[in-house]
Amino acid sequence: MVALPARERPQLRCCGASGCRHAGAGPLLAALRAAAAAGGPAADDMSAGASAALQPLEVRSVGCLRLCGEGPLLAWDGPEGTRLFGGLAPAAAAALVDQVRGVASLPLAADPALAGHQLDLEQPFFRLQRPLVLEGCGIVDPECIEAALAHGSYAQLRRVLHELSPEAVREQVRRSGLRGRGGGGYPTGLKWDTVALQPPGRRYVVCNADEGDPGAFMDRSVLEGDPHRLLEGMAIAAYAVGADHGYLYVRAEYPLAIERLRLALQQARQQGLLGQGIAGSSFNLDLEVRVGAGAYVCGEETALLHSIQGQRGTPRTRPPYPAQAGLWGAPTLINNVETFAAVPVILREGGDWYAAIGSGNSRGTKVFSLSGAIRHTGLVEVPMGTSLRTVVETMGGGDPDGGAVKAVQTGGPSGGCIPAALLDTPVDFESLLALGSMMGSGGMVVIGQGTAMPEVARHFMAFSVNESCGKCVPCRAGTVQLLALLDRCLERGATAADLEALEALCAMVKATSLCGLGQAAPNPVLSTLRHFRQEYSAAPGAGR
Amino acid sequence: MTEAPLPAQAHPQAQSSALTGGQGRPRLRLATVWLAGCSGCHMSFLDLDEFLFELAEAVEIVYSPVASDTKIYPEQVDVCLVEGAVANVDNLELALTLRQRTALVISFGDCAISANVPGLRNLFSAPGRDSARTVLERGYLELADASGQLPHAPGVVPELLPRVLPLHEVIPVDLYLPGCPPSAERIRAAIAPLLLGQRPLMEGAAMLRFG
Amino acid sequence: MSVITLQVDGRDVAVPAGSTLLQAIRAAGLSVPTLCHLDGLDPVGACRLCLVEVEGGQRLLPACASEASEGQVIRTDTAQLQGYRRMAVELFFAEGNHVCAFCVANGQCELQDVAVAVGMDHSRFPYQYPQRSVDASHRHFSLDHNRCILCTRCVRVCDQIEGAHVWDVAERGSDCRIVAGLDQPWGEVEACTSCGKCVDVCPTGALYANEDTTAEKHPHPERAHQLRRAREHQQWLR
């Protein structure tokens, strides 16, 4: 979590994840470290008689501090608790370090370099979060396994290996009610059982880290901010299903995540937490990173498996499901990053504890990335069943210009748009499906009044045209024709016949495409037709 | 089979009910039209041989490049066979006119149905450059001697449309009679029921196959 | 050999366990249109023409790539399936440059056949007129990308039966195309044995022998099955 309990020895946590790096976290971190070093001895060289000014000051690079839109983010933990700053320039580093050391000439609020940069940690955006998956994200240094170990990482793996049978692990996951966080929502315990109960032989475990929905950056934050938690969850899963080899399939567009993941794997091997005889047990597990080559469809599990095997990344028909016949024909467990990352806390607190969070058939928490026409762009983790209004308006702060939110797009190109009138819908798998959208992996793009919904549909259809692998004809050629129809609607306003044609082809593509990408490609059109039909018929330019 | 309405064919306003309108008159008023095509469909029509005699008794040919000298497309036409794609402004104008004045419009042959061979010039569309310009420049400038010039005679030489279109992308079409050309047997099988006020059953390889 | 029974369009049928739905449909004396499927080659389920309804199932299943199971109730010819199939065939016509009039496969073309089978008398989707090329670099054969429907029969027959794997698919979406070797001119690909199996199984006029002109192609799609059966069951005579 972002706010930590008050602590005697101050420390600074600077977000080193992609968003804040892009906003200038690198130079800020360097300037902070320089200022900390200039003011006194190194952190580990504290002499008994050091003055306040010479207090050692630890400056840590950590994972996502959530409010990405205000980056670079910096947390200052001290005796007063945590203070959070956003958008500090490197030039402000010295002033901040002086404040931390208590040697500044001006009070914090009056310091021109810092005034206006402090962010309220009591605002709902932070207060309503329930960090489980993101427990260590923003606290631990993702490049330092000692930090992760100190924060409890791998404790559950050790315990599980020595105290629990694979069946007992699966029992906890089943009881937790955890469902796949990649968007499908398939019961995780059932999937693990399916793999585990296949005839004896080799099994694989695969992490789907090919997060590709526009506006989605939940998995990236876990990969960049707390990779050891993911590795621990994956190792527990491998133990539970009897796999001794696994792959993390990460999209190439996440270079920092790949770098940190590779480092984390190396560190875990050195610590005996991966490899042969893990943590003194007889359990062996090797994990490898596989980097995608820029195809969205490789987030589809069968395409992902082909890609890992070195083949063209195209999906195949299911059944057989990967749990029955996956990598090189062997039973293969594939879960999303967030799903694996939820496992350690489920083992630590128990499946029932986890199942007590959430609502209906959606248990536990879900991470969402908020972006678009919203005041607070960033990452939130909330209990399942929290209403969209709470997430978007209360936490997200609504439209940045004070206008009303028009709609929320969930599920990326596979999802749909939910109109503002339905914002009281609880965020769970079933409710979103019922509205013609879907949970998806957790990207939420907020749409303001100034955006025409057919344009939104067109945008996503163009995405699907571009990302279709081309294997089956409804997706390869149907999306092209859908895009042309949408173009026509936008050009001159849709006639009744246009809309009928649009719906007929949407139904065909949805029902007959080979994989989830094609089957879901019409969703942005269908959901906007359902909730914003009048905008399609409006004269060109109307609604913009 | 139900025809899911798609944009190209939006409103089948004039179904074969119009034929009953023709029953009030002694003979069915039939037209044939030749747009952008090779006239092969009309040649195939002439291959109807002795059926042409039956046809001549059953219908009145009110407009046709092969059986009438009328220059203006008449009013109150019951059935029109339209050969060829819509490639120039004259084709377009005639298509729009015949639709207004005809109860049952038939896309007659592959060119009317898919633009077929005339439509091949659509392959030469490029961003910012329509296919009409490309083929005209190729034909009249690049392959000409130094005196080459683009044809330009408004009102005399019809301007090419930027893109060659099948008939149903321009007007609603009531019946499709594929083939390149449709064989005489197929034409007869399509026309004969119309003479009885019935809609022909366009099914199976004998009636439907392209090419 | 264990046998399973199921029902196809109201007809009871028994097939060996492990049979596909397509085999069950045929065993029932019925048929569904297919394009990418070819007996003798591993199924890919790409053309979506053989999709059928399974009672109690949420999704339509490709008959060619789905295993039949005991007690299934299959419907192959509902109005909805007919509508989807016709749209799929229209999409095939609209995405390529299919001009039957002067095609080498005119009259012998499976795309023409399925158009008839689904009752397609015109395409409601506008033709796309993609810019595609012709590879005439091979001594005996040519590949006209304009007529390719990406069924990947050539890819599979070359890989699974000839064992040369000359063909594969490059690019993605509507840019997909068949490539020889490492996207080389076909005639320069040394792995090609010039066996002609790809030409035999091509359902359209995309692959053809150089000496054939309009309507002269004589495909032999049955050869894939003959060769497979011969090798696997030592049945070298028909």
Side-chain angles (χ1 to χ4, degrees), chain B residues 99-115:
Chain B
R99 177 69 273 183
Q100 280 180 345
R101 300 178 184 175
T102 313
L104 188 98
V105 175
I106 302 175
S107 270
F108 180 33
D110 286 358
C111 290
I113 290 174
S114 71

mmCIF file of all heavy atoms in Angstrom, chain B residues 99-115:
data_model
loop_
_atom_site.group_PDB
_atom_site.id
_atom_site.type_symbol
_atom_site.label_atom_id
_atom_site.label_comp_id
_atom_site.label_asym_id
_atom_site.label_seq_id
_atom_site.Cartn_x
_atom_site.Cartn_y
_atom_site.Cartn_z
ATOM 1 N N ARG B 99 -34.650 1.745 -62.489
ATOM 2 C CA ARG B 99 -35.189 1.308 -61.206
ATOM 3 C C ARG B 99 -36.542 1.974 -60.936
ATOM 4 O O ARG B 99 -37.487 1.351 -60.480
ATOM 5 C CB ARG B 99 -34.190 1.609 -60.095
ATOM 6 C CG ARG B 99 -34.642 1.285 -58.677
ATOM 7 C CD ARG B 99 -34.768 -0.202 -58.398
ATOM 8 N NE ARG B 99 -36.083 -0.762 -58.748
ATOM 9 C CZ ARG B 99 -36.422 -2.035 -58.538
ATOM 10 N NH1 ARG B 99 -35.562 -2.893 -58.025
ATOM 11 N NH2 ARG B 99 -37.623 -2.469 -58.870
ATOM 12 N N GLN B 100 -36.615 3.265 -61.272
ATOM 13 C CA GLN B 100 -37.853 4.005 -61.025
ATOM 14 C C GLN B 100 -38.994 3.488 -61.894
ATOM 15 O O GLN B 100 -40.152 3.549 -61.501
ATOM 16 C CB GLN B 100 -37.640 5.486 -61.340
ATOM 17 C CG GLN B 100 -36.932 6.217 -60.228
ATOM 18 C CD GLN B 100 -36.737 7.683 -60.577
ATOM 19 O OE1 GLN B 100 -36.878 8.086 -61.738
ATOM 20 N NE2 GLN B 100 -36.391 8.479 -59.578
ATOM 21 N N ARG B 101 -38.654 3.011 -63.080
ATOM 22 C CA ARG B 101 -39.702 2.699 -64.045
ATOM 23 C C ARG B 101 -39.948 1.199 -64.199
ATOM 24 O O ARG B 101 -40.685 0.801 -65.089
ATOM 25 C CB ARG B 101 -39.316 3.285 -65.412
ATOM 26 C CG ARG B 101 -39.150 4.799 -65.351
ATOM 27 C CD ARG B 101 -38.730 5.377 -66.672
ATOM 28 N NE ARG B 101 -38.493 6.815 -66.522
ATOM 29 C CZ ARG B 101 -38.016 7.594 -67.480
ATOM 30 N NH1 ARG B 101 -37.729 7.069 -68.667
ATOM 31 N NH2 ARG B 101 -37.820 8.882 -67.267
ATOM 32 N N THR B 102 -39.291 0.387 -63.337
ATOM 33 C CA THR B 102 -39.382 -1.059 -63.520
ATOM 34 C C THR B 102 -39.842 -1.736 -62.239
ATOM 35 O O THR B 102 -39.372 -1.393 -61.150
ATOM 36 C CB THR B 102 -38.011 -1.633 -63.911
ATOM 37 O OG1 THR B 102 -37.457 -0.837 -64.934
ATOM 38 C CG2 THR B 102 -38.136 -3.083 -64.368
ATOM 39 N N ALA B 103 -40.729 -2.715 -62.406
ATOM 40 C CA ALA B 103 -41.216 -3.429 -61.227
ATOM 41 C C ALA B 103 -40.178 -4.426 -60.729
ATOM 42 O O ALA B 103 -39.873 -4.483 -59.540
ATOM 43 C CB ALA B 103 -42.507 -4.163 -61.560
ATOM 44 N N LEU B 104 -39.631 -5.220 -61.627
ATOM 45 C CA LEU B 104 -38.703 -6.273 -61.213
ATOM 46 C C LEU B 104 -37.378 -6.116 -61.964
ATOM 47 O O LEU B 104 -37.338 -6.275 -63.185
ATOM 48 C CB LEU B 104 -39.312 -7.651 -61.512
ATOM 49 C CG LEU B 104 -38.490 -8.798 -60.935
ATOM 50 C CD1 LEU B 104 -39.070 -9.279 -59.612
ATOM 51 C CD2 LEU B 104 -38.386 -9.959 -61.907
ATOM 52 N N VAL B 105 -36.333 -5.796 -61.211
ATOM 53 C CA VAL B 105 -35.023 -5.604 -61.830
ATOM 54 C C VAL B 105 -34.166 -6.843 -61.577
ATOM 55 O O VAL B 105 -34.049 -7.313 -60.445
ATOM 56 C CB VAL B 105 -34.317 -4.362 -61.263
ATOM 57 C CG1 VAL B 105 -32.899 -4.241 -61.813
ATOM 58 C CG2 VAL B 105 -35.123 -3.109 -61.589
ATOM 59 N N ILE B 106 -33.599 -7.365 -62.658
ATOM 60 C CA ILE B 106 -32.760 -8.565 -62.552
ATOM 61 C C ILE B 106 -31.319 -8.215 -62.886
ATOM 62 O O ILE B 106 -31.043 -7.653 -63.952
ATOM 63 C CB ILE B 106 -33.252 -9.668 -63.522
ATOM 64 C CG1 ILE B 106 -34.707 -10.026 -63.215
ATOM 65 C CG2 ILE B 106 -32.360 -10.909 -63.437
ATOM 66 C CD1 ILE B 106 -35.318 -11.027 -64.195
ATOM 67 N N SER B 107 -30.404 -8.533 -61.964
ATOM 68 C CA SER B 107 -28.980 -8.436 -62.296
ATOM 69 C C SER B 107 -28.667 -9.620 -63.190
ATOM 70 O O SER B 107 -28.732 -10.776 -62.767
ATOM 71 C CB SER B 107 -28.121 -8.492 -61.019
ATOM 72 O OG SER B 107 -27.925 -7.202 -60.512
ATOM 73 N N PHE B 108 -28.301 -9.304 -64.416
ATOM 74 C CA PHE B 108 -28.234 -10.310 -65.481
ATOM 75 C C PHE B 108 -26.757 -10.592 -65.766
ATOM 76 O O PHE B 108 -26.090 -9.834 -66.464
ATOM 77 C CB PHE B 108 -28.969 -9.732 -66.700
ATOM 78 C CG PHE B 108 -29.006 -10.615 -67.921
ATOM 79 C CD1 PHE B 108 -29.059 -12.006 -67.840
ATOM 80 C CD2 PHE B 108 -29.028 -10.030 -69.190
ATOM 81 C CE1 PHE B 108 -29.121 -12.786 -68.982
ATOM 82 C CE2 PHE B 108 -29.084 -10.813 -70.342
ATOM 83 C CZ PHE B 108 -29.130 -12.194 -70.228
ATOM 84 N N GLY B 109 -26.226 -11.663 -65.165
ATOM 85 C CA GLY B 109 -24.838 -12.037 -65.423
ATOM 86 C C GLY B 109 -23.872 -11.495 -64.383
ATOM 87 O O GLY B 109 -24.197 -10.627 -63.570
ATOM 88 N N ASP B 110 -22.672 -12.044 -64.408
ATOM 89 C CA ASP B 110 -21.688 -11.756 -63.355
ATOM 90 C C ASP B 110 -21.257 -10.291 -63.281
ATOM 91 O O ASP B 110 -20.917 -9.801 -62.202
ATOM 92 C CB ASP B 110 -20.441 -12.641 -63.548
ATOM 93 C CG ASP B 110 -20.697 -14.091 -63.141
ATOM 94 O OD1 ASP B 110 -21.823 -14.380 -62.680
ATOM 95 O OD2 ASP B 110 -19.776 -14.920 -63.277
ATOM 96 N N CYS B 111 -21.234 -9.587 -64.425
ATOM 97 C CA CYS B 111 -20.775 -8.193 -64.370
ATOM 98 C C CYS B 111 -21.740 -7.344 -63.563
ATOM 99 O O CYS B 111 -21.337 -6.505 -62.761
ATOM 100 C CB CYS B 111 -20.604 -7.615 -65.770
ATOM 101 S SG CYS B 111 -19.209 -8.350 -66.646
ATOM 102 N N ALA B 112 -23.051 -7.556 -63.795
ATOM 103 C CA ALA B 112 -24.039 -6.804 -63.017
ATOM 104 C C ALA B 112 -23.969 -7.205 -61.547
ATOM 105 O O ALA B 112 -24.159 -6.387 -60.653
ATOM 106 C CB ALA B 112 -25.431 -7.055 -63.571
ATOM 107 N N ILE B 113 -23.672 -8.486 -61.306
ATOM 108 C CA ILE B 113 -23.714 -9.006 -59.933
ATOM 109 C C ILE B 113 -22.463 -8.641 -59.140
ATOM 110 O O ILE B 113 -22.535 -8.293 -57.967
ATOM 111 C CB ILE B 113 -23.917 -10.540 -59.958
ATOM 112 C CG1 ILE B 113 -25.341 -10.854 -60.446
ATOM 113 C CG2 ILE B 113 -23.668 -11.147 -58.586
ATOM 114 C CD1 ILE B 113 -25.619 -12.325 -60.644
ATOM 115 N N SER B 114 -21.294 -8.728 -59.784
ATOM 116 C CA SER B 114 -20.061 -8.541 -59.012
ATOM 117 C C SER B 114 -19.103 -7.518 -59.615
ATOM 118 O O SER B 114 -18.015 -7.314 -59.091
ATOM 119 C CB SER B 114 -19.323 -9.882 -58.902
ATOM 120 O OG SER B 114 -18.772 -10.226 -60.159
ATOM 121 N N ALA B 115 -19.484 -6.908 -60.727
ATOM 122 C CA ALA B 115 -18.619 -6.005 -61.503
ATOM 123 C C ALA B 115 -17.602 -6.795 -62.332
ATOM 124 O O ALA B 115 -17.075 -6.273 -63.314
ATOM 125 C CB ALA B 115 -17.930 -4.942 -60.656
#
